[in-house]
Amino acid sequence: MEVGIAGTPVVFNVNGDAPGRYEIYQYQISNNTTEYKIIGHWTDQLYLSTDELQWPGGSQEVPYSICSQACRPGQRKKTVKGIPCCWHCESCDGYQYQADTYTCKMCRFDLRPNENHTGCVPIPIVKLEWSSPWAVIPVLIAVLGIIATLLVVVTFVRYNDTPIVKASGRELSYVLLTGIFLCYATTFLMISTPDVFVCSLRRIFLGLGMSISYAALLTKTNRIYRIFEQGKMSVSAPRFISPASQLVITFSLISVQLLGVCIWFGVDPSQAIIDYEDQRTANPEMARGVLKCDISDLSLICLLGYSMLLMVTCTVYAIKTRGVPETFNEAKPIGFTMYTTCIVWLAFIPIFFGTSQSTEKVNFLSQI
């Protein structure tokens, strides 16, 4: 075999060409001087002296020859246009999760992304707890109100046959006390965990207690008004002022409320729902589902609308009977009660509709 001037054997490949021979240099800095240093050569194959290699920072470790680093969990690859092997890493934010290497998708409405956005987990469900201050304060007020109502009932029963109890219209007084008791007792339904049974009871008793109270007051004021109006024209007593007649009128007014509730049950049966939109915050970690009864604001106002109608009518009669003789003092407390009640309701409606959170609405309604 012939040896060339460079001391390498002279050979030819299958095409009759001499193989390439190359010196491999690396530009290096040594002792503040720069030079090209031979680190290997190529003769049919690569011969490289890795010990002679030098990398930035003085590192001996060979750097990776890649265009882009691997994306972290919860990040998708966004390829660079025209360079399919290179990409940018984009985080899946908000309610998105990493569906695959190149795609972020939205979690289902009842789910939120996990901590690193690689999947979805259920949104926590919240409800009004009995230990919450929003529940403790209304319950305390309701308990005090129920105790006071029961004390009045016991007093009425004990002195049932005395002239003062008879003069007050004891039959309607018992109906009125029943309505007041239901108003306070409804607080416990409003705080109880919503289900079909509890939601059904809410529909029935939320407006029933007020309807009973206002129906009794309306019957009382109407009776007073008719007595004094009749007295101006005749000495004969007006019709339907006996205790039995007053009870029939009162229960007829109450039956309208119950009929409306029955129609509502037929049109839209009660159910408990989980509202995921009410507290769907921008930060998924703060998102919550609210367990509540399926009662819209409009339905609730319609439910209480009849009670408001009775209240307004009773207020009108209270104004008409404001001039009764001083010795007939029952009309004036009723009038004062209706005036203050109207003020409370006028404050209640705008505050209720202006409250953004469902739990706050429940709490406010419970206190009213």
Side-chain angles (χ1 to χ4, degrees):
M1 181 181 290
E2 300 256 349
V3 178
I5 299 175
T8 58
V10 178
V11 294
F12 298 94
N13 58 23
V14 294
N15 298 320
D17 298 321
R21 296 182 176 88
Y22 304 96
E23 298 271 335
I24 300 176
Y25 294 84
Q26 185 184 35
Y27 188 71
Q28 297 183 354
I29 300 176
S30 179
N31 297 325
N32 295 326
T33 60
T34 59
E35 62 175 341
Y36 283 98
K37 185 175 181 180
I38 299 175
I39 57 171
H41 64 274
W42 172 275
T43 306
D44 287 335
Q45 60 181 335
L46 177 64
Y47 298 93
L48 189 64
S49 177
T50 57
D51 294 337
E52 300 294 333
L53 292 173
Q54 188 180 91
W55 304 106
S59 174
Q60 297 295 321
E61 186 175 343
V62 180
Y64 290 105
S65 179
I66 57 174
C67 177
S68 303
Q69 295 285 349
C71 294
R72 296 193 302 271
Q75 294 182 332
R76 74 178 185 94
K77 291 181 179 179
K78 183 180 180 182
T79 56
V80 178
K81 187 175 181 179
I83 312 176
C85 294
C86 297
W87 60 84
H88 300 299
C89 294
E90 286 190 350
S91 297
C92 298
D93 55 4
Y95 288 84
Q96 296 180 333
Y97 70 100
Q98 183 186 3
D100 54 45
T101 306
Y102 299 96
T103 309
C104 290
K105 290 185 178 180
M106 292 291 293
C107 289
R108 205 171 61 199
F109 73 96
D110 58 340
L111 302 175
R112 67 180 183 183
N114 56 18
E115 187 175 354
N116 57 8
H117 287 258
T118 56
C120 297
V121 296
I123 294 177
I125 307 302
V126 297
K127 61 181 180 65
L128 188 59
E129 300 291 343
W130 290 93
S131 58
S132 168
W134 288 105
V136 172
I137 295 175
V139 166
L140 179 61
I141 296 174
V143 169
L144 293 176
I146 289 173
I147 293 174
T149 304
L150 293 177
L151 288 176
V152 174
V153 171
V154 170
T155 303
F156 265 66
V157 171
R158 181 177 179 182
Y159 300 99
N160 190 58
D161 295 324
T162 58
I164 189 171
V165 173
K166 291 180 179 180
S168 65
R170 54 187 175 184
E171 294 80 8
L172 288 182
S173 296
Y174 287 128
V175 174
L176 177 59
L177 289 170
T178 302
I180 294 173
F181 175 83
L182 289 178
C183 288
Y184 284 118
T186 304
T187 302
F188 299 95
L189 286 176
M190 301 303 295
I191 300 174
S192 300
T193 301
D195 56 29
V196 175
F197 180 70
V198 170
C199 292
S200 299
L201 292 180
R202 285 187 186 181
R203 287 193 183 186
I204 296 172
F205 291 105
L206 183 59
L208 183 61
M210 285 179 283
S211 294
I212 293 175
S213 301
Y214 294 141
L217 288 174
L218 175 57
T219 306
K220 273 178 173 283
T221 53
N222 175 265
R223 176 176 178 270
I224 296 170
Y225 173 75
R226 288 190 297 114
I227 288 175
F228 281 94
E229 284 298 309
Q230 182 73 16
K232 294 178 182 179
M233 298 179 294
S234 172
V235 293
S236 61
R239 295 184 301 171
F240 308 120
I241 63 172
S242 65
S245 300
Q246 295 294 289
L247 288 177
V248 170
I249 295 173
T250 302
F251 287 118
S252 297
L253 294 173
I254 296 171
S255 64
V256 175
Q257 172 76 20
L258 294 175
L259 178 62
V261 172
C262 292
I263 294 174
W264 189 11
F265 275 124
V267 174
D268 182 19
S270 295
Q271 59 178 329
I273 62 171
I274 301 175
D275 186 356
Y276 291 99
E277 295 298 326
D278 200 37
Q279 295 192 24
R280 191 177 180 86
T281 58
N283 181 6
E285 291 296 320
M286 303 299 295
R288 297 292 185 271
V290 181
L291 178 62
K292 62 181 184 179
C293 293
D294 186 19
I295 303 178
S296 66
D297 294 346
L298 180 60
S299 300
L300 185 58
I301 292 300
C302 291
L303 174 66
L304 301 177
Y306 182 67
S307 298
M308 288 188 279
L309 177 62
L310 293 177
M311 176 196 66
V312 172
T313 307
C314 185
T315 304
V316 172
Y317 276 109
I319 294 173
K320 288 184 176 183
T321 56
R322 69 186 184 279
V324 299
E326 292 292 335
T327 54
F328 198 89
N329 56 10
E330 185 181 22
K332 295 189 183 302
I334 292 176
F336 178 76
T337 300
M338 298 317 301
Y339 305 149
T340 54
T341 304
C342 286
I343 294 174
V344 170
W345 275 90
L346 287 175
F348 164 74
I349 294 175
I351 292 175
F352 179 83
F353 280 105
T355 305
S356 59
Q357 300 297 328
S358 299
T359 52
E360 292 175 0
K361 291 177 182 177
V362 169
N363 298 330
F364 182 77
L365 183 61
S366 299
Q367 294 181 62
I368 292 296

